[in-house]
Amino acid sequence: GVGLIYLTALSDGPTLERAAQTEPLGYLTKPVRSEDLKAALTTALQRHRADQQLRQMERWLSTTLQSLGEGVIATDEQGMVTFLNPMAESLTGWKFAEAIGRHHAEVFQLLDGSADEGPQGHQIRSRSGQLIAVDPTISPIREGELRLGTVIVFRDARRRRALEQARLELERQVQQS
Protein backbone atom coordinates (compact mmCIF):
# COMPACT_ATOMS: atom_id res chain seq x y z
CA GLY A 1 0.00 0.00 0.00
CA VAL A 2 0.83 3.64 -0.35
CA GLY A 3 1.59 5.60 2.80
CA LEU A 4 0.14 9.08 3.11
CA ILE A 5 1.32 12.11 5.02
CA TYR A 6 -1.10 15.01 4.79
CA LEU A 7 0.25 18.52 4.43
CA THR A 8 -2.56 21.06 4.67
CA ALA A 9 -3.54 24.43 5.99
CA LEU A 10 -6.81 22.97 7.32
CA SER A 11 -7.05 21.42 10.77
CA ASP A 12 -10.78 21.62 11.47
CA GLY A 13 -12.69 18.63 12.86
CA PRO A 14 -14.40 17.42 9.63
CA THR A 15 -11.14 17.64 7.66
CA LEU A 16 -9.24 15.68 10.31
CA GLU A 17 -12.03 13.04 10.42
CA ARG A 18 -11.93 12.59 6.61
CA ALA A 19 -8.13 12.33 6.68
CA ALA A 20 -8.24 9.76 9.54
CA GLN A 21 -10.46 7.50 7.40
CA THR A 22 -7.54 7.02 4.98
CA GLU A 23 -5.25 6.01 7.87
CA PRO A 24 -2.41 8.42 7.07
CA LEU A 25 1.09 7.92 8.39
CA GLY A 26 1.25 11.58 9.37
CA TYR A 27 -0.58 14.91 9.35
CA LEU A 28 1.20 18.26 9.12
CA THR A 29 -0.33 21.74 9.01
CA LYS A 30 1.17 24.77 7.32
CA PRO A 31 3.48 26.43 7.96
CA VAL A 32 5.75 23.40 8.26
CA ARG A 33 9.06 23.50 10.07
CA SER A 34 11.79 21.27 8.63
CA GLU A 35 12.17 19.49 12.00
CA ASP A 36 8.46 18.58 11.98
CA LEU A 37 8.69 17.30 8.39
CA LYS A 38 11.77 15.22 9.21
CA ALA A 39 10.08 13.76 12.34
CA ALA A 40 6.90 12.95 10.37
CA LEU A 41 8.88 11.23 7.59
CA THR A 42 10.99 9.23 10.08
CA THR A 43 7.89 8.10 11.98
CA ALA A 44 6.06 7.27 8.73
CA LEU A 45 8.97 5.17 7.43
CA GLN A 46 9.24 3.26 10.72
CA ARG A 47 5.48 2.60 10.78
CA HIS A 48 5.53 1.53 7.13
CA ARG A 49 8.36 -0.95 7.80
CA ALA A 50 6.55 -2.33 10.86
CA ASP A 51 3.33 -2.71 8.81
CA GLN A 52 5.25 -4.57 6.09
CA GLN A 53 6.83 -6.91 8.66
CA LEU A 54 3.43 -7.57 10.23
CA ARG A 55 1.87 -8.37 6.82
CA GLN A 56 4.80 -10.68 6.00
CA MET A 57 4.41 -12.48 9.35
CA GLU A 58 0.64 -12.82 8.80
CA ARG A 59 1.25 -14.36 5.34
CA TRP A 60 3.84 -16.75 6.77
CA LEU A 61 1.56 -17.79 9.62
CA SER A 62 -1.42 -18.23 7.30
CA THR A 63 0.62 -20.34 4.87
CA THR A 64 1.94 -22.46 7.74
CA LEU A 65 -1.54 -23.10 9.17
CA GLN A 66 -2.92 -23.86 5.69
CA SER A 67 -0.14 -26.42 5.10
CA LEU A 68 -0.45 -28.43 8.32
CA GLY A 69 -1.48 -32.07 8.20
CA GLU A 70 -3.64 -31.48 11.28
CA GLY A 71 -6.98 -29.76 11.45
CA VAL A 72 -6.87 -26.38 13.17
CA ILE A 73 -9.91 -24.47 14.40
CA ALA A 74 -9.61 -21.22 16.36
CA THR A 75 -12.40 -19.50 18.26
CA ASP A 76 -13.00 -16.21 19.98
CA GLU A 77 -13.72 -15.92 23.69
CA GLN A 78 -17.41 -16.82 23.13
CA GLY A 79 -16.46 -20.04 21.31
CA MET A 80 -17.37 -18.76 17.84
CA VAL A 81 -15.17 -20.03 15.01
CA THR A 82 -12.70 -17.45 13.68
CA PHE A 83 -10.37 -19.75 11.69
CA LEU A 84 -10.55 -23.15 9.99
CA ASN A 85 -7.66 -24.57 7.94
CA PRO A 86 -8.09 -26.87 4.89
CA MET A 87 -7.50 -30.09 6.88
CA ALA A 88 -10.19 -29.04 9.38
CA GLU A 89 -12.49 -28.33 6.42
CA SER A 90 -11.81 -31.77 5.01
CA LEU A 91 -12.41 -33.64 8.27
CA THR A 92 -15.42 -31.66 9.54
CA GLY A 93 -17.09 -31.10 6.18
CA TRP A 94 -17.44 -27.38 6.93
CA LYS A 95 -16.01 -24.75 4.58
CA PHE A 96 -14.19 -21.78 6.12
CA ALA A 97 -16.78 -19.24 4.96
CA GLU A 98 -19.66 -21.35 6.33
CA ALA A 99 -18.02 -22.04 9.70
CA ILE A 100 -17.00 -18.47 10.59
CA GLY A 101 -19.22 -17.07 13.34
CA ARG A 102 -20.76 -20.45 14.24
CA HIS A 103 -20.21 -22.00 17.65
CA HIS A 104 -17.32 -24.48 17.67
CA ALA A 105 -19.56 -27.26 19.03
CA GLU A 106 -21.59 -27.12 15.82
CA VAL A 107 -18.52 -27.29 13.54
CA PHE A 108 -16.40 -29.63 15.68
CA GLN A 109 -18.89 -32.13 17.11
CA LEU A 110 -16.61 -34.08 19.44
CA LEU A 111 -17.99 -37.37 20.76
CA ASP A 112 -16.41 -39.76 23.25
CA GLY A 113 -15.36 -42.99 21.57
CA SER A 114 -16.47 -46.43 22.63
CA ALA A 115 -14.73 -48.20 25.51
CA ASP A 116 -12.83 -50.58 23.22
CA GLU A 117 -11.04 -47.63 21.62
CA GLY A 118 -9.32 -46.85 24.90
CA PRO A 119 -9.01 -43.54 26.73
CA GLN A 120 -7.99 -41.67 23.60
CA GLY A 121 -11.07 -42.83 21.71
CA HIS A 122 -12.62 -39.65 20.36
CA GLN A 123 -14.68 -39.13 17.26
CA ILE A 124 -16.21 -36.19 15.49
CA ARG A 125 -19.42 -36.19 13.56
CA SER A 126 -18.78 -34.49 10.23
CA ARG A 127 -21.32 -32.18 8.64
CA SER A 128 -22.53 -35.11 6.52
CA GLY A 129 -22.99 -37.27 9.63
CA GLN A 130 -19.90 -39.45 9.13
CA LEU A 131 -18.08 -40.48 12.32
CA ILE A 132 -14.34 -39.87 12.11
CA ALA A 133 -11.82 -40.99 14.73
CA VAL A 134 -9.60 -38.09 15.78
CA ASP A 135 -6.85 -37.30 18.25
CA PRO A 136 -7.73 -33.80 19.52
CA THR A 137 -5.88 -31.23 21.61
CA ILE A 138 -7.90 -28.28 22.88
CA SER A 139 -6.03 -25.32 24.39
CA PRO A 140 -6.92 -21.80 25.46
CA ILE A 141 -5.54 -18.85 23.51
CA ARG A 142 -4.24 -16.46 26.16
CA GLU A 143 -2.57 -13.12 26.40
CA GLY A 144 -1.30 -13.04 29.95
CA GLU A 145 -4.29 -13.76 32.18
CA LEU A 146 -6.78 -12.75 29.46
CA ARG A 147 -8.43 -15.62 27.59
CA LEU A 148 -8.90 -14.64 23.95
CA GLY A 149 -10.37 -17.88 22.68
CA THR A 150 -9.55 -21.51 22.03
CA VAL A 151 -7.50 -23.44 19.50
CA ILE A 152 -8.50 -26.98 18.58
CA VAL A 153 -5.84 -29.08 16.84
CA PHE A 154 -6.81 -32.57 15.72
CA ARG A 155 -5.58 -35.28 13.41
CA ASP A 156 -7.34 -38.08 11.61
CA ALA A 157 -6.78 -41.13 13.83
CA ARG A 158 -8.46 -43.74 11.61
CA ARG A 159 -5.21 -45.14 10.18
CA ARG A 160 -3.47 -45.22 13.57
CA ARG A 161 -6.42 -46.95 15.19
CA ALA A 162 -6.67 -49.49 12.35
CA LEU A 163 -2.96 -50.31 12.80
CA GLU A 164 -3.43 -50.68 16.57
CA GLN A 165 -6.38 -53.03 16.01
CA ALA A 166 -4.31 -55.09 13.54
CA ARG A 167 -1.43 -55.27 16.04
CA LEU A 168 -3.77 -56.38 18.84
CA GLU A 169 -5.32 -59.02 16.59
CA LEU A 170 -1.87 -60.31 15.61
CA GLU A 171 -0.85 -60.47 19.31
CA ARG A 172 -4.04 -62.39 20.08
CA GLN A 173 -3.32 -64.87 17.29
CA VAL A 174 0.26 -65.35 18.49
CA GLN A 175 -0.94 -65.98 22.05
CA GLN A 176 -3.48 -68.57 20.84
CA SER A 177 -0.85 -70.46 18.86
Side-chain angles (χ1 to χ4, degrees):
V2 176
L4 297 174
I5 297 177
Y6 284 103
L7 175 60
T8 180
L10 304 174
S11 62
D12 59 285
T15 301
L16 290 174
E17 286 177 28
R18 282 195 311 274
Q21 291 174 0
T22 63
E23 298 182 4
L25 298 178
Y27 193 93
L28 297 169
T29 55
K30 295 178 183 177
V32 178
R33 297 179 321 148
S34 61
E35 302 86 40
D36 294 339
L37 178 59
K38 183 178 179 182
L41 287 172
T42 301
T43 301
L45 285 172
Q46 289 173 344
R47 183 171 159 202
H48 182 69
R49 282 189 204 108
D51 288 347
Q52 280 183 318
Q53 289 173 341
L54 179 60
R55 281 192 297 278
Q56 182 179 357
M57 182 59 76
E58 287 172 344
R59 283 192 304 271
W60 178 84
L61 183 57
S62 177
T63 300
T64 299
L65 290 172
Q66 301 293 334
S67 303
L68 287 176
E70 287 86 18
V72 179
I73 299 173
T75 75
D76 64 15
E77 61 275 7
Q78 283 83 38
M80 302 306 194
V81 174
T82 58
F83 178 80
L84 192 81
N85 77 346
M87 183 57 74
E89 287 182 329
S90 174
L91 292 171
T92 66
W94 285 87
K95 295 294 180 198
F96 180 84
E98 299 165 330
I100 297 301
R102 293 184 184 268
H103 196 271
H104 71 83
E106 182 180 1
V107 176
F108 186 73
Q109 295 184 28
L110 185 62
L111 312 168
D112 284 332
S114 62
D116 64 347
E117 290 179 290
Q120 298 302 316
H122 293 288
Q123 295 178 321
I124 58 169
R125 184 181 315 278
S126 73
R127 192 170 187 188
S128 66
Q130 179 184 13
L131 295 178
I132 300 170
V134 294
D135 293 325
T137 302
I138 302 171
S139 304
I141 300 171
R142 294 190 179 279
E143 185 176 316
E145 293 299 311
L146 185 63
R147 184 181 178 135
L148 303 176
T150 302
V151 64
I152 304 166
V153 179
F154 57 104
R155 72 172 39 113
D156 187 336
R158 291 174 287 191
R159 180 167 157 47
R160 180 186 59 77
R161 292 204 186 142
L163 290 172
E164 284 177 10
Q165 288 295 94
R167 181 185 58 80
L168 291 172
E169 178 61 24
L170 185 60
E171 286 177 3
R172 187 184 63 75
Q173 289 174 5
V174 167
Q175 287 175 353
Q176 284 181 348
S177 62

